[in-house]
Amino acid sequence: MLSAVMEDYIKTIHAIENTSDGRVSTSALADHLEVTAPTVSSMLKKLEERGLVDREEYKGVTLTEEGELVALEILRHHRLLEAFLTELLDYDWADVHDEADKLEHHVSKELTDRIAEALGNPPVDPHGDPIPDADLSFPKESETIRLADVDEGERVTVGRIRHQGDAELRYLADAGVRPEVQLTVVDIAPFGMVTVETPTGEQSLPEEIAQLIEVAPATAANGVEV
């Protein structure tokens, strides 16, 4: 059995590995988890002893094959819980991350599989993040680009919102920007603001927020791009 803290480390290593090249440094983990570098070093030693990380002094860590499977299992728990809270308990999609963080360590594989079945085995969570299936394989993802890279005048559909914090999710929820919503890029200001037309009106998004939003070309009902 792994402690909740150990699982948090593994999930964080996996997240950083998937957004950067090479090994994950002690300082990066300390920043993400808001702990001290000595605390990180102590935990990484424990994870190494369990065969979950490969650690190289002064160069950081990577997950081993076993560690990767643990990370995927945690992601499956977390993202299915987010979907469950949103679809069956009427939580707002911007408010489920913290609740899922608390619950993900305390659900069994059997309960997770039953949640998946009750929800119809969804391929993505409420933020558009892919959910590993029962075999811990990710569903095939559509090609997307970041909203910040879309040209003026283009119409797109939001596919995924990369989670950075609850403040960012709440900001986007209030702006009416969420997965499956169609947007038209109205203006790209030279100082970094991206203005989009949403179903409820125009919204100006800071570039750092637009970078969190993955989009694909919008399509009409007949499947033709619009």
Side-chain angles (χ1 to χ4, degrees):
M1 293 289 293
L2 298 177
S3 68
V5 175
M6 286 179 171
E7 291 185 348
D8 282 340
Y9 270 79
I10 292 170
K11 186 172 70 172
T12 303
I13 293 169
H14 181 272
I16 298 174
E17 278 189 315
N18 280 271
T19 56
S20 61
D21 295 325
R23 292 174 175 268
V24 178
S25 68
T26 297
S27 60
L29 282 171
D31 289 343
H32 276 72
L33 295 167
E34 298 182 344
V35 296
T36 65
T39 298
V40 172
S41 296
S42 175
M43 178 56 72
L44 292 180
K45 183 177 180 181
K46 294 177 182 178
L47 294 176
E48 182 181 34
E49 289 171 351
R50 289 173 175 253
L52 299 171
V53 300
D54 177 69
R55 185 171 61 144
E56 192 169 340
E57 194 170 5
Y58 306 117
K59 291 186 178 181
V61 299
T62 59
L63 292 176
T64 62
E65 185 175 342
E66 183 178 353
E68 179 74 13
L69 290 176
V70 171
L72 292 175
E73 186 71 46
I74 298 168
L75 283 181
R76 177 169 166 81
H77 291 181
H78 182 97
R79 293 174 181 177
L80 281 169
L81 284 165
E82 288 188 333
F84 175 78
L85 292 169
T86 303
E87 295 185 29
L88 298 185
L89 298 186
D90 294 326
Y91 274 70
D92 190 283
W93 71 282
D95 297 330
V96 293
H97 180 75
D98 282 348
E99 289 289 351
D101 264 346
K102 298 170 188 174
L103 295 169
E104 66 189 16
H105 308 293
H106 308 292
V107 292
S108 66
K109 182 180 184 305
E110 180 181 357
L111 177 57
T112 302
D113 289 344
R114 290 195 177 195
I115 289 173
E117 184 177 355
L119 294 173
N121 293 300
V124 297
D125 72 8
H127 310 114
D129 291 319
I131 300 175
D133 63 21
D135 295 325
L136 302 183
S137 298
F138 280 115
K140 184 178 180 180
E141 295 186 63
S142 301
E143 289 188 14
T144 59
I145 63 172
R146 301 299 173 104
L147 180 61
D149 299 323
V150 174
D151 294 329
E152 286 184 18
E154 288 195 32
R155 188 163 178 78
V156 296
T157 300
V158 178
R160 181 179 188 180
I161 296 175
R162 296 276 183 174
H163 182 262
Q164 297 294 317
D166 289 346
E168 289 88 349
L169 290 179
R170 175 52 54 197
Y171 179 94
L172 290 170
D174 291 343
V177 178
R178 60 184 298 163
E180 299 185 8
V181 165
Q182 290 193 351
L183 310 172
T184 299
V185 178
V186 176
D187 181 64
I188 302 174
F191 49 85
M193 295 293 287
V194 179
T195 300
V196 296
E197 180 72 34
T198 78
T200 57
E202 287 192 5
Q203 295 287 343
S204 293
L205 307 174
E207 184 177 10
E208 60 269 23
I209 296 293
Q211 284 287 356
L212 304 179
I213 304 167
E214 295 186 9
V215 298
T219 57
N222 60 5
V224 178
E225 290 186 10
V226 298

